[in-house]
Amino acid sequence: MKDSGLTKTSSIQVIDRAAKLLNIMARYDDPISLKILAAEGELHPSTAFRILSSLIEHQFVERDDVGHYRLGIKLLHLGSHVRQSVELRQQAKPIITRLRDALGETVNLTVRENDEVVYVERAISGQMMRVEQVIGSRAPLHVTAVGKLMLAAAGEEECRQYAKRTGLPAYTHNTITDVENLIRHTSQALQNGFAYDNGEAEKSVGCIGVLIYSSTGEIAAGLSVSAPLERRKEEWVPLVIEAGKRLSESLGYFG
Amino acid sequence: MKDSGLTKTSSIQVIDRAAKLLNIMARYDDPISLKILAAEGELHPSTAFRILSSLIEHQFVERDDVGHYRLGIKLLHLGSHVRQSVELRQQAKPIITRLRDALGETVNLTVRENDEVVYVERAISGQMMRVEQVIGSRAPLHVTAVGKLMLAAAGEEECRQYAKRTGLPAYTHNTITDVENLIRHTSQALQNGFAYDNGEAEKSVGCIGVLIYSSTGEIAAGLSVSAPLERRKEEWVPLVIEAGKRLSESLGYFG
DNA sequence: AGTTTTGATTTCACATTATGAAAGATTCAG
DNA sequence: CTGAATCTTTCATAATGTGAAATCAAAACT
C-alpha cells in the first residue's frame, strides 16, 4: 500500500516507517506508548508493534516495564562514531578554507587507512590550473607528503614492513622506491615537522604536508597544500605548520 | 528467503539487514564501497544498494563523491538524544544504589512530565515489606515529595495554575487539596532543600525527596527514598540531601 | 471485587513489497 | 582505448510485511 502517495525515490517502506517511529521518539523526553507511536506514525498498531520489536532486537529502541518505548543505546554508539568523523571535518573546514585563501592553492585533509591515505575534506584553488583530488579517493602512503610523515611516525620497522608489503611502486620518476632512502627521507621530514611531495605521486605536482594530532596524542589526519611544482613556495611551510598546529589544538592536542 | 535460518523472534528482515549495514559501517573509520558492504552484509548488491538509498534519504547514511558510504548525521542527533537520558540514569544508578544500601529502603529517580512525575530509575529495598514503583509509571506532582519541590521551583503562579488544571484530587486523607496550603507547604519545602510525602500519594507510605539540577541549573530530576511511614526516619534527611548534591555535581551543577 | 473498556499482542490470509537475476551504465585499471 | 569491475536500474515473482480480527492483559470504573 502507498504511504503519503508521493515518494521522492523508490524508497523502502519499512525503513521509512522505522525512521518515522525513531523520529517520533526523539520528539519526546520520556518513553511513549504504542498507541501514541502508532497514531503519530499513522500505522496500524500491529505494524508499529512489529517494527518496534525489530528495532528493540538491534538496540535501536528500548521498552520499559510498562511497555513504553524510547530510543535505544545503539544510537548512542553509532552517534558517537559519527561525531568523531564529523568533528574532524567540521574543525578542519574553516582552517582548510583559510589556508587555501592565504596560499591560493588547493588544501586537502586526509586520514590513513592501512597503506593508503584517503581524502576526506578539501578546499579547492580558484585558479584555472589547479590540483584537485576527489573526496573518497586514495593514494599510497609513500608517494604523499603526509603519508611519508605517517610512515615515519610509525617507526623504522613499520617502514620496512610497508616497503615489503607494497614493493614501493614508482608512480613517477621522482617516486622513492628504495626502502633505505625512504626511511632516511621520512625520518628527516618528521624531525622537520613537515614533508614535501616533489612530483612523487603525480608528475609536476608538489605538496607540503603536516600531521594532525588528536587529544590523545595520536595521529588523527594529515593536512597538505598541493600546487603545480613551479608555483609551490618554500615560504608556505610555516603557514602550513601553523594551520596544522591550530587544527590539532582544536581537537584538544597541546603537545 | 531466509537469512541465517534461526530467528529468535519474528523479526523484520529489512530492519535486520539495515541494522547489519549500519553496524558494518561503524566498524570502519572511513567510508566503504557498496561491494564491501554487500559482501560483508551477505546481501545482493542491488538489495544493499536500495537499503542504503533509503537510509540516505533519512540521513542515517551518507554517500561521498566516489560512491562510498558512511554513517549519517541523523545518528548523531538521535544519539545525542539518547545520551541525555542515559547519562542521567547512568550517573544516578550508583548513587541511588548506595543510598538504598545505606538506608535499607527503596530509592527512586523521577523526571517531571507536565503535571506528573515519571519513575525512570530505582533501587529496591531488600525488605519483605517495601515500597515499589514500576519504572515508567507516573504520579501527580502534588502528592509526591519531589513533585511538590518541582511545583515550588516553578513559582507560586504556576502552582495556582496547576491547582486549577488538576483540581488537586485527594488520593488519601493526607493529600493536600487546598491551593493556599499547597503553596505555603511547597515554598517551605524548597527553602528547606527537601520535602516529605506523608502518606499523601498512598496511605502509610512516606518519602523524603530532593531536586537534581543539571549543568545549566535547570531541574533535571527528583530523587527520593520511600518507606512505610513507621520506618521513615528524620535522620535520613541529610543523607538524601547529600546524595542529591552528588548527583547534581556529577551532571555538572555546582550552584 | 467484579465488570467494562482500552491498550497490547498474536494469528492468519493475502496483497503488495522487496528481492535477486539480468541488463545497462559508469568507473576504474591496465 | 579497451576490458574488467562496480554501481545502478529494470522487471517478474517469491516471500515478506500488512492489517483485520481475535485474543490476552492491564487499566479504569462501579
Short mmCIF file of all heavy atoms in Angstrom, two decimals, chain B residues 39-61:
data_model
loop_
_atom_site.label_atom_id
_atom_site.label_comp_id
_atom_site.label_asym_id
_atom_site.label_seq_id
_atom_site.Cartn_x
_atom_site.Cartn_y
_atom_site.Cartn_z
N ALA B 39 29.11 -7.55 0.43
CA ALA B 39 29.81 -8.81 0.74
C ALA B 39 29.73 -9.13 2.24
O ALA B 39 29.35 -10.23 2.63
CB ALA B 39 31.26 -8.72 0.28
N GLU B 40 30.09 -8.14 3.06
CA GLU B 40 30.08 -8.40 4.49
C GLU B 40 28.66 -8.53 5.04
O GLU B 40 28.43 -9.22 6.04
CB GLU B 40 30.82 -7.28 5.23
CG GLU B 40 32.32 -7.31 4.96
CD GLU B 40 33.10 -6.48 5.97
OE1 GLU B 40 32.59 -6.28 7.09
OE2 GLU B 40 34.22 -6.05 5.63
N GLY B 41 27.72 -7.88 4.39
CA GLY B 41 26.33 -7.99 4.82
C GLY B 41 25.64 -9.21 4.24
O GLY B 41 24.46 -9.46 4.52
N GLU B 42 26.36 -9.95 3.41
CA GLU B 42 25.80 -11.14 2.76
C GLU B 42 24.49 -10.83 2.04
O GLU B 42 23.49 -11.51 2.18
CB GLU B 42 25.59 -12.25 3.81
CG GLU B 42 26.92 -12.71 4.40
CD GLU B 42 26.76 -13.74 5.49
OE1 GLU B 42 25.91 -13.53 6.38
OE2 GLU B 42 27.48 -14.75 5.45
N LEU B 43 24.56 -9.72 1.29
CA LEU B 43 23.39 -9.28 0.54
C LEU B 43 23.74 -9.16 -0.93
O LEU B 43 24.90 -8.91 -1.29
CB LEU B 43 22.93 -7.90 1.06
CG LEU B 43 22.47 -7.81 2.51
CD1 LEU B 43 22.24 -6.35 2.88
CD2 LEU B 43 21.21 -8.62 2.72
N HIS B 44 22.73 -9.27 -1.76
CA HIS B 44 22.91 -8.98 -3.16
C HIS B 44 23.19 -7.49 -3.32
O HIS B 44 22.57 -6.67 -2.64
CB HIS B 44 21.64 -9.37 -3.93
CG HIS B 44 21.85 -9.43 -5.40
ND1 HIS B 44 21.83 -8.32 -6.21
CD2 HIS B 44 22.10 -10.48 -6.21
CE1 HIS B 44 22.04 -8.68 -7.46
NE2 HIS B 44 22.22 -9.99 -7.50
N PRO B 45 24.13 -7.11 -4.19
CA PRO B 45 24.46 -5.68 -4.33
C PRO B 45 23.24 -4.79 -4.60
O PRO B 45 23.16 -3.68 -4.08
CB PRO B 45 25.43 -5.66 -5.51
CG PRO B 45 26.08 -7.01 -5.46
CD PRO B 45 25.01 -7.96 -4.98
N SER B 46 22.30 -5.28 -5.40
CA SER B 46 21.13 -4.45 -5.69
C SER B 46 20.26 -4.28 -4.45
O SER B 46 19.64 -3.23 -4.26
CB SER B 46 20.31 -5.02 -6.86
OG SER B 46 19.73 -6.24 -6.49
N THR B 47 20.22 -5.29 -3.62
CA THR B 47 19.48 -5.17 -2.36
C THR B 47 20.17 -4.19 -1.43
O THR B 47 19.51 -3.29 -0.87
CB THR B 47 19.39 -6.55 -1.67
OG1 THR B 47 18.78 -7.48 -2.55
CG2 THR B 47 18.62 -6.46 -0.38
N ALA B 48 21.48 -4.34 -1.27
CA ALA B 48 22.23 -3.41 -0.41
C ALA B 48 22.09 -1.99 -0.92
O ALA B 48 21.90 -1.05 -0.14
CB ALA B 48 23.71 -3.83 -0.37
N PHE B 49 22.13 -1.85 -2.23
CA PHE B 49 22.04 -0.52 -2.84
C PHE B 49 20.73 0.18 -2.47
O PHE B 49 20.71 1.35 -2.09
CB PHE B 49 22.16 -0.63 -4.37
CG PHE B 49 22.15 0.68 -5.08
CD1 PHE B 49 23.33 1.39 -5.25
CD2 PHE B 49 20.97 1.22 -5.57
CE1 PHE B 49 23.34 2.62 -5.89
CE2 PHE B 49 20.96 2.45 -6.20
CZ PHE B 49 22.15 3.15 -6.38
N ARG B 50 19.61 -0.57 -2.57
CA ARG B 50 18.32 0.03 -2.27
C ARG B 50 18.15 0.33 -0.79
O ARG B 50 17.61 1.37 -0.42
CB ARG B 50 17.19 -0.88 -2.73
CG ARG B 50 16.74 -0.61 -4.16
CD ARG B 50 15.46 -1.35 -4.38
NE ARG B 50 15.65 -2.74 -3.95
CZ ARG B 50 16.05 -3.68 -4.79
NH1 ARG B 50 16.26 -3.43 -6.05
NH2 ARG B 50 16.23 -4.90 -4.33
N ILE B 51 18.61 -0.56 0.07
CA ILE B 51 18.51 -0.31 1.51
C ILE B 51 19.34 0.92 1.89
O ILE B 51 18.89 1.79 2.62
CB ILE B 51 18.98 -1.55 2.31
CG1 ILE B 51 18.00 -2.71 2.10
CG2 ILE B 51 19.11 -1.20 3.80
CD1 ILE B 51 18.40 -3.99 2.79
N LEU B 52 20.56 1.01 1.34
CA LEU B 52 21.41 2.17 1.61
C LEU B 52 20.78 3.46 1.10
O LEU B 52 20.85 4.50 1.75
CB LEU B 52 22.80 1.96 1.00
CG LEU B 52 23.66 0.92 1.72
CD1 LEU B 52 24.82 0.48 0.85
CD2 LEU B 52 24.16 1.46 3.05
N SER B 53 20.14 3.39 -0.07
CA SER B 53 19.49 4.58 -0.63
C SER B 53 18.39 5.08 0.30
O SER B 53 18.23 6.28 0.51
CB SER B 53 18.90 4.27 -2.01
OG SER B 53 19.94 3.98 -2.91
N SER B 54 17.63 4.13 0.85
CA SER B 54 16.59 4.51 1.80
C SER B 54 17.17 5.12 3.06
O SER B 54 16.66 6.10 3.58
CB SER B 54 15.78 3.27 2.20
OG SER B 54 14.55 3.25 1.53
N LEU B 55 18.25 4.53 3.55
CA LEU B 55 18.89 5.05 4.76
C LEU B 55 19.46 6.45 4.49
O LEU B 55 19.45 7.31 5.37
CB LEU B 55 19.99 4.10 5.23
CG LEU B 55 19.49 2.76 5.80
CD1 LEU B 55 20.66 1.79 6.03
CD2 LEU B 55 18.72 2.97 7.10
N ILE B 56 19.94 6.68 3.28
CA ILE B 56 20.45 8.01 2.90
C ILE B 56 19.33 9.05 2.95
O ILE B 56 19.51 10.16 3.43
CB ILE B 56 21.09 7.97 1.49
CG1 ILE B 56 22.42 7.21 1.54
CG2 ILE B 56 21.32 9.39 0.97
CD1 ILE B 56 23.00 6.89 0.18
N GLU B 57 18.17 8.66 2.44
CA GLU B 57 17.02 9.57 2.46
C GLU B 57 16.71 10.06 3.86
O GLU B 57 16.27 11.19 4.04
CB GLU B 57 15.79 8.84 1.93
CG GLU B 57 15.49 9.13 0.48
CD GLU B 57 14.18 8.51 0.08
OE1 GLU B 57 13.12 9.00 0.51
OE2 GLU B 57 14.25 7.51 -0.66
N HIS B 58 16.87 9.21 4.84
CA HIS B 58 16.57 9.58 6.22
C HIS B 58 17.80 10.03 6.98
O HIS B 58 17.76 10.16 8.21
CB HIS B 58 15.90 8.40 6.94
CG HIS B 58 14.60 8.02 6.31
ND1 HIS B 58 13.47 8.79 6.44
CD2 HIS B 58 14.27 6.98 5.50
CE1 HIS B 58 12.50 8.23 5.75
NE2 HIS B 58 12.96 7.14 5.17
N GLN B 59 18.90 10.22 6.27
CA GLN B 59 20.14 10.75 6.84
C GLN B 59 20.80 9.82 7.85
O GLN B 59 21.59 10.26 8.67
CB GLN B 59 19.91 12.13 7.45
CG GLN B 59 19.47 13.15 6.38
CD GLN B 59 19.37 14.54 6.97
OE1 GLN B 59 18.69 14.75 7.97
NE2 GLN B 59 20.06 15.47 6.37
N PHE B 60 20.45 8.54 7.80
CA PHE B 60 21.17 7.57 8.63
C PHE B 60 22.49 7.19 8.00
O PHE B 60 23.38 6.65 8.65
CB PHE B 60 20.31 6.30 8.82
CG PHE B 60 19.16 6.52 9.76
CD1 PHE B 60 17.92 6.90 9.28
CD2 PHE B 60 19.33 6.36 11.12
CE1 PHE B 60 16.86 7.12 10.14
CE2 PHE B 60 18.26 6.57 11.99
CZ PHE B 60 17.03 6.95 11.50
N VAL B 61 22.62 7.45 6.70
CA VAL B 61 23.82 7.13 5.94
C VAL B 61 24.10 8.30 4.99
O VAL B 61 23.20 9.04 4.62
CB VAL B 61 23.59 5.82 5.13
CG1 VAL B 61 24.63 5.63 4.05
CG2 VAL B 61 23.59 4.63 6.08
#
